Amino acid sequence: MRSRHPHPALLKAFAVSAVLLLAGCEIPGIWPDPRIAQREEESKAIGGACRHALRGLEDCYTLNPKASKASVFAGWKEMDAYMRENKLEGSPSVIEKTDKPEKKAAASASVSASADSKSASAKH
């Protein structure tokens, strides 16, 4: 009489082949998205840079609205501990408003054009 259960060696071969087939497979949603981890690390770096630049957290949040607030805080706090431990002074950053280069080029072109037209009208 024949047994209803498959041979144990057949079961082992099936299990090994299933594992090998699924090992090379990337199933969406199983592993975390690397872009999320990168965004979190960038937010921590922003927080650390803000602390080194002697900026408050609120200013840092305002200047970087797309950054995760929790990660910015973690980076700020980490840098604060590092700076206190090593007795480091921060270096204040100075933000100046600057015009975009395109506007400056357009403005200088219009100034030179108006100067040319004035000199041409003065000659006549």
Side-chain angles (χ1 to χ4, degrees):
M1 186 166 176
R2 208 167 181 186
S3 153
R4 288 186 170 196
H5 301 289
H7 196 271
L10 184 62
L11 287 176
K12 286 181 184 178
F14 177 73
V16 168
S17 65
V19 167
L20 289 176
L21 285 173
L22 291 175
C25 187
E26 286 191 28
I27 301 171
I30 289 182
W31 307 110
D33 189 5
R35 292 176 289 183
I36 293 172
Q38 180 183 8
R39 207 173 307 134
E40 294 296 318
E41 290 300 316
E42 285 175 359
S43 297
K44 278 182 75 172
I46 288 170
C50 283
R51 174 58 184 101
H52 188 264
L54 302 175
R55 272 197 201 111
L57 277 172
E58 294 79 18
D59 295 338
C60 198
Y61 295 152
T62 303
L63 291 171
N64 303 287
K66 291 183 180 180
S68 164
K69 288 186 178 184
S71 296
V72 169
F73 176 71
W76 194 94
K77 187 176 173 184
E78 200 174 285
M79 180 59 87
D80 184 57
Y82 176 80
M83 289 175 71
R84 288 177 190 268
E85 180 180 309
N86 294 307
K87 297 180 177 117
L88 298 174
E89 294 294 322
S91 58
S93 66
V94 179
I95 300 175
E96 296 178 11
K97 284 191 173 183
T98 58
D99 292 332
K100 293 183 180 178
E102 299 141 10
K103 289 182 180 179
K104 285 183 178 179
S108 64
S110 65
V111 168
S112 64
S114 65
D116 290 340
S117 65
K118 286 180 184 177
S119 65
S121 63
K123 288 181 182 178
H124 292 348

